[in-house]
Amino acid sequence: METINIYLRMRHRIQVQPDQTIRLGQLAEIVAPPELKETLKDLVLHQVQKKDRNYIVIDAMRAIQKVHEGNPELDIQSIGPAQTIIEIKYPKKTLAPVYFCGVWVLLFIGAALAIMNFHEDVSMQGVQQKIYKIVTGKENYRPLIMQIPYSVGLGVGMILFFNHLFRKRFNEEPSPLEIEMFNYQQDLDRYITFHEKRETGSRSDDD
């Protein structure tokens, strides 16, 4: 019998709903003859349950084993990631407007205090007074001609730094915040993968 080569490329991360049936086509890109590809895509790998909590990790070996159960003659090659992280998206509780406004006000006040404390620590007002005296030769304890443009520039600089104004993006370059969030997501994925594998191994040993 001629051997049929099948190639699987596991996706890094997907999202599913509670109680959803997870099929191979959701977890991996499949390269196979057309008549076989649709059958493999519908192959059930897992049924989401409450005990799965928020994350599931399905290894490529588990997917290959499942395919071989019904098709032992297939030669399956796995490329790309070794496992797929499945995030279960539970319905989010809507945040009441009063709580949203409270959080917004708290963050606004906190950010304002942080900026003011920084300026106080570095004696920003004193520096601006000295610069004004050096340039004009006059004493001025409230050099508004410097303070107002500085305040406006501080806000504009923060907008440009984060590359966002509300939902508008100025260019395709990621902002420092987006890069930090990406790095955090990578670290979180590695932790989930390690933690889930360790738990799976512990359950196997207990069995």
Side-chain angles (χ1 to χ4, degrees):
M1 181 181 295
E2 183 181 356
T3 302
I4 302 176
N5 294 320
I6 305 296
Y7 297 91
L8 300 179
R9 181 182 177 87
M10 302 292 289
R11 294 184 171 88
H12 178 67
R13 169 187 278 265
I14 66 169
Q15 294 180 345
V16 299
Q17 300 299 320
D19 302 319
Q20 183 174 333
T21 299
I22 301 174
R23 304 179 187 275
L24 181 61
Q26 297 173 265
L27 297 183
E29 297 180 25
I30 305 171
V31 177
E35 65 277 5
L36 186 58
K37 185 174 181 178
E38 293 303 319
T39 303
L40 294 178
K41 288 174 69 174
D42 289 335
L43 189 63
V44 176
L45 292 182
H46 187 78
Q47 176 67 44
V48 179
Q49 303 174 12
K50 288 185 178 180
K51 66 179 182 180
D52 292 323
R53 293 177 291 184
N54 295 321
Y55 294 98
I56 311 167
V57 176
I58 294 184
D59 196 270
M61 294 300 295
R62 180 177 171 184
I64 293 173
Q65 182 180 8
K66 193 69 176 180
V67 173
H68 269 159
E69 287 179 2
N71 305 273
E73 74 283 358
L74 298 180
D75 182 15
I76 305 172
Q77 303 291 331
S78 176
I79 58 177
Q83 61 274 318
T84 298
I85 297 173
I86 303 167
E87 181 181 1
I88 304 172
K89 298 293 290 183
Y90 294 98
K92 292 184 177 180
K93 296 181 179 179
T94 56
L95 191 64
V98 66
Y99 289 110
F100 175 81
C101 293
V103 172
W104 187 89
V105 170
L106 184 64
L107 291 175
F108 179 82
I109 294 174
L113 287 174
I115 294 173
M116 288 189 291
N117 287 332
F118 167 76
H119 286 162
E120 186 65 26
D121 288 341
V122 299
S123 301
M124 182 62 69
Q125 185 175 5
V127 171
Q128 290 175 342
Q129 291 170 354
K130 289 180 181 179
I131 294 175
Y132 184 87
K133 183 177 181 180
I134 291 172
V135 174
T136 64
K138 300 178 181 180
E139 292 278 357
N140 189 342
Y141 292 99
R142 297 183 62 189
L144 297 179
I145 194 171
M146 297 182 62
Q147 292 175 343
I148 293 174
Y150 172 79
S151 299
V152 174
L154 184 64
V156 173
M158 292 179 66
I159 291 173
L160 295 176
F161 180 77
F162 288 106
N163 196 26
H164 273 87
L165 180 60
F166 299 105
R167 292 183 178 273
K168 180 177 176 57
R169 178 190 289 270
F170 300 115
N171 54 57
E172 295 183 359
E173 182 179 349
S175 69
L177 181 61
E178 289 173 323
I179 293 175
E180 287 301 318
M181 290 299 295
F182 174 79
N183 291 334
Y184 169 77
Q185 188 65 59
Q186 294 292 101
D187 293 338
L188 179 62
D189 289 347
R190 284 196 292 269
Y191 172 81
I192 291 171
T193 301
F194 174 79
H195 185 69
E196 288 294 325
K197 280 187 175 180
R198 186 174 62 180
E199 282 200 346
T200 302
S202 298
R203 288 194 293 266
S204 298
D205 292 340
D206 292 341
D207 294 341

